[in-house]
Amino acid sequence: PSEDKVIAVDPEGPSKDQKIERCKREADRRLRDTDWAILVDAQTRLKNSDDFVAYRDAVRKLRVTPVENPEWPELPKAEWN
């Protein structure tokens, strides 16, 4: 026999504060995932280290000044010497 289950639904979705917090957490994750790119050894071996610097700067701006609907920069692909 099937049972009727009540599912709680938030019709309004996440609040502004929740979206802001989500932006901060995602920025933290993206910065952590590219920490390796700022190491001196990596910077001397990466052909496109400037791309990673620009990417991290854009992500850091979203961390410092989070928005509800962030437009994330594209993660550069590492090009090694």
Side-chain angles (χ1 to χ4, degrees), residues 16-29:
K16 178 179 179 177
D17 289 343
Q18 289 170 323
K19 290 178 180 179
I20 296 293
E21 190 58 36
R22 186 180 301 157
C23 179
K24 289 179 185 180
R25 284 193 315 266
E26 179 63 17
D28 287 341
R29 183 193 67 78

Side-chain angles (χ1 to χ4, degrees), residues 34 36-38 46 48-57 75-79:
T34 56
W36 62 268
I38 61 169
L46 270 174
N48 61 335
S49 63
D50 289 345
D51 294 343
F52 281 91
V53 170
Y55 171 82
R56 289 176 56 86
D57 284 347
L75 174 65
K77 182 178 179 184
E79 298 174 15

